[in-house]
Amino acid sequence: MLRCSVLVLCMVVAAKLQNDPAGQQILLFKEKTKGPIGVMTTSAGAPIEYKDARVTLNSKLIFNEYFMDSLTHLNRERIPERVVHAKAGGAFGYFEVTHDVTSICKAKLFATVGKRTPVAARFSPVVQERGGIDTSRDARGFAVKFYTEEGNFDIVGLSTPMFVIKDPLLFPTFVRAQKRNPATNLFDSNTLWDFLTLQPESLHMFLLIFGDRGIPDGYRYMPGFSIHTFEVLNEPGEKSFVRFHFTPTAGIKNLRSEEARKIAAVDPDYATRDLYRAIGNGNFPSWKVSIQVLSLNDVKNAGFDVFDVTKVLPLDDYPLIPVGIFVLNKNPVNYFAEIEQLAFSPANLVPGILGGPDKLFEARRLAYRDAEYYRLGANFNKIPVNCPIQVKLMDYNRDGKPPVKDNGKDTPNYYPNSFNGAEPYHDEKRTELIEIFQDEPNNFQQATELYVNEMTSDERSRLVQNILYSLGPVAKFLQDRAVKLLTIIHPDLGNRIAEGLAANRTNYYKNYDDRLFNYN
């Protein structure tokens, strides 16, 4: 009987492997090439003789160019990883307009219903390092690059509809509080909860992270949000303000904590593998693209800062307007070239989309550019995956660290000039990004609404369990601060956490009685 069960299990595994483009990639390459693809060469193009490629014993190493070429390159193969969003999955596809929004935004990627624009997408846990797991409890990056005929437009968003801080001055603090303790080189819940309780505006986002949406079931079932409220213009020059939403057409699915831990033990690359496998099998993931739209009058009369990234725009007041769909139908051919070097920036804007007037957006325009200079060099936009493929470049940047491509050939390298170099265009209806005043962050009200109106009883119980799992090991003074703040969000939440901590049941806290909760 046991032998039969093992045989059946082996047959099931074999069947899965036969239909697994991720696991079978190297075998599929062998099948389609039908023999060696050519003669090995050095990086300078010289053919390599068989003996040089197979053995160095009893020969002079420095005369073996294959050995010298490959060994010295190995020491230089790693570029600096991203400080956050280091690990990722990604793919390519298209965005298709399904609804006319030209009355709101004149950007050419929205010009006509049915129009398709090539896109690249990258999905990534925030805190995980490059060798980390895909099933951590964390927010995820949701970044989309639109290769439009007016240049690249990037939405560098998240899997949550809000961000953790309003003031960009706190971003380095937030990142360091989540990263490894500099003394122990271990992740430390004390530093995370120190940050969360010192900056309580962060709790709105972390209610989602500690809730059921904290661990997406792969990237195909994960929503995306632009976070920022963008200022956009239509053809007559009229202003509107929009937030972008990406909703997976297959539905939103998430993992529970125990299930995620089990997956991490056997497949730390779960989400990356799932995305590659689905696309390879022709099961192309897609997302409905919608916008929330505000007029200038709406902005003035909203009663709160609509540019505050720690807040959401209520859907009842600003309903979703459909725009299009984006589909991923092509896996990367080479991960490093196409995903690791894929560089996003909120500064990548096109005519008709002015960006966000908030300080965080302004800071991200600097931070992302600086990160790419550090990781990829000053010519990072000349790396093929970052090139605006529908535009002929006419910039005045020259030289620097490769790639430089044709380096501007023989054209003038400064502006203005008298020798027929490229000229800027004139926009008679040019409009500057509005200037706003932003007050101190305070979003307890929205956090309360999330807890009361958007979570079921079971979801609240799991939220409590997950908070206790994280908060249980930290110092008591931090626990006390957390309880005080969570009680402000709702007394029921604070009481549950306080009682769970007192009972020392962090790892086994289940199904707390909901009798204290006021549903009205």
Side-chain angles (χ1 to χ4, degrees):
M1 184 69 177
L2 177 61
R3 183 177 179 182
C4 181
S5 298
V6 171
L7 180 61
V8 170
L9 178 60
C10 290
M11 292 173 64
V12 170
V13 171
K16 287 185 176 179
L17 286 175
Q18 290 174 1
N19 196 35
D20 180 8
Q24 298 286 296
Q25 183 276 328
I26 199 70
L27 297 177
L28 293 172
F29 177 83
K30 180 179 180 179
E31 287 180 7
K32 72 182 180 181
T33 50
K34 306 300 181 185
I37 59 175
V39 175
M40 283 176 61
T41 70
T42 67
S43 59
I48 297 169
E49 200 276 326
Y50 181 83
K51 185 179 178 181
D52 286 342
R54 300 289 295 199
V55 63
T56 63
L57 301 179
N58 304 312
S59 63
K60 291 186 180 296
L61 297 180
I62 200 168
F63 292 161
N64 185 329
E65 190 57 24
Y66 169 70
F67 168 79
M68 296 294 290
D69 196 34
S70 57
L71 184 65
T72 55
H73 188 280
L74 179 66
N75 293 332
R76 295 160 174 81
E77 282 184 359
R78 294 295 173 262
I79 64 172
E81 73 172 45
R82 293 166 170 87
V83 176
V84 287
H85 301 283
K87 184 177 187 184
F92 302 87
Y94 63 87
F95 165 73
E96 180 176 337
V97 179
T98 58
H99 294 73
D100 184 1
V101 292
T102 54
S103 62
I104 299 168
C105 183
K106 69 177 183 179
K108 289 185 179 178
L109 77 157
F110 305 127
T112 57
V113 172
K115 179 172 183 174
R116 289 188 175 184
T117 298
V119 299
R122 188 178 186 274
F123 311 116
S124 53
V126 174
V127 180
Q128 290 297 306
E129 295 153 351
R130 196 150 54 188
I133 63 173
D134 281 351
T135 54
S136 59
R137 182 166 295 281
D138 194 2
R140 265 70 176 167
F142 194 109
V144 183
K145 183 183 294 292
F146 300 81
Y147 298 97
T148 88
E149 65 264 49
E150 297 177 297
N152 292 345
F153 169 52
D154 292 355
I155 294 179
V156 195
L158 289 176
S159 61
T160 58
M162 77 291 282
F163 193 53
V164 70
I165 49 170
K166 185 174 185 177
D167 191 333
L169 186 66
L170 293 168
F171 187 73
T173 302
F174 171 60
V175 171
R176 290 167 181 159
Q178 293 188 96
K179 288 292 188 175
R180 295 180 183 273
N181 181 308
T184 65
N185 199 38
L186 299 172
F187 293 107
D188 192 334
S189 294
N190 285 289
T191 59
L192 171 62
W193 280 98
D194 189 34
F195 177 87
L196 296 180
T197 54
L198 287 174
Q199 308 299 332
E201 70 267 25
S202 62
L203 292 173
H204 187 204
M205 176 174 164
F206 270 79
L207 285 186
L208 285 185
I209 292 175
F210 285 122
D212 282 0
R213 287 172 57 176
I215 312 176
D217 186 8
Y219 298 129
R220 295 186 293 139
Y221 304 106
M222 182 178 80
F225 305 89
S226 65
I227 306 300
H228 301 278
T229 302
F230 286 70
E231 181 178 341
V232 298
L233 301 173
N234 61 12
E235 199 58 52
E238 298 164 334
K239 298 175 184 285
S240 295
F241 303 88
V242 305
R243 283 200 188 186
F244 293 89
H245 292 241
F246 300 84
T247 307
T249 55
I252 297 173
K253 296 182 183 179
N254 302 289
L255 297 172
R256 303 286 166 77
S257 297
E258 187 60 32
E259 185 180 12
R261 284 191 284 269
K262 290 178 180 178
I263 290 172
V266 296
D267 188 4
D269 303 311
Y270 173 77
T272 306
R273 188 185 316 279
D274 176 74
L275 180 67
Y276 191 103
R277 179 183 291 163
I279 295 172
N281 284 328
N283 182 19
F284 303 139
S286 61
W287 288 258
K288 296 176 183 176
V289 182
S290 308
I291 52 176
Q292 289 178 282
V293 182
L294 296 81
S295 66
L296 186 57
N297 191 55
D298 291 331
V299 169
K300 294 177 179 178
N301 296 294
F304 69 99
D305 180 3
V306 301
F307 302 106
D308 184 345
V309 293
T310 70
K311 289 185 169 73
V312 299
L313 302 182
L315 290 171
D316 289 343
D317 298 328
Y318 315 104
L320 293 178
I321 296 175
V323 178
I325 186 169
F326 102 85
V327 179
L328 296 179
N329 60 5
K330 180 180 178 294
N331 279 317
V333 174
N334 182 279
Y335 181 88
F336 179 84
E338 297 179 283
I339 305 301
E340 185 63 22
Q341 292 192 121
L342 187 54
F344 293 92
S345 174
N348 287 344
L349 303 167
V350 293
I353 304 177
L354 279 65
D358 58 280
K359 278 299 170 187
L360 185 73
F361 193 91
E362 184 178 346
R364 292 179 82 194
R365 292 184 71 144
L366 167 64
Y368 279 71
R369 184 189 304 274
D370 187 53
E372 305 311 347
Y373 283 160
Y374 171 64
R375 295 183 63 249
L376 303 172
N379 290 308
F380 67 88
N381 273 327
K382 290 178 176 145
I383 296 171
V385 73
N386 298 320
C387 286
I389 57 179
Q390 297 201 68
V391 178
K392 183 177 181 180
L393 289 180
M394 288 287 180
D395 64 355
Y396 280 91
N397 294 331
R398 299 289 186 274
D399 307 341
K401 182 180 177 180
V404 297
K405 294 203 164 181
D406 63 18
N407 204 32
K409 294 185 177 179
D410 59 351
T411 62
N413 68 342
Y414 63 95
Y415 176 83
N417 64 75
S418 305
F419 305 103
N420 297 327
E423 294 279 353
Y425 81 103
H426 294 278
D427 184 356
E428 301 298 334
K429 298 176 183 176
R430 179 185 173 94
T431 301
E432 300 297 333
L433 193 66
I434 65 168
E435 294 187 10
I436 61 173
F437 171 82
Q438 295 195 280
D439 55 8
E440 292 293 319
N442 185 339
N443 52 19
F444 281 113
Q445 180 181 354
Q446 287 201 348
T448 301
E449 290 173 356
L450 172 61
Y451 184 72
V452 174
N453 299 322
E454 298 185 36
M455 292 185 176
T456 66
S457 175
D458 287 344
E459 288 173 335
R460 287 190 288 270
S461 293
R462 288 190 291 271
L463 169 68
V464 169
Q465 182 179 354
N466 293 331
I467 290 176
L468 286 170
Y469 186 88
S470 174
L471 187 59
V474 311
K476 187 176 185 304
F477 80 93
L478 294 174
Q479 293 178 344
D480 293 342
R481 272 195 340 218
V483 168
K484 181 178 179 181
L485 292 169
L486 294 171
T487 302
I488 295 173
I489 292 174
H490 200 284
D492 174 71
L493 177 59
N495 289 339
R496 290 182 180 215
I497 299 302
E499 292 189 18
L501 291 170
N504 194 26
R505 291 185 286 125
T506 301
N507 293 327
Y508 304 98
Y509 197 86
K510 295 181 183 294
N511 301 322
Y512 185 88
D513 183 9
D514 210 22
R515 65 188 181 277
L516 298 175
F517 191 79
N518 178 10
Y519 291 93
N520 296 323

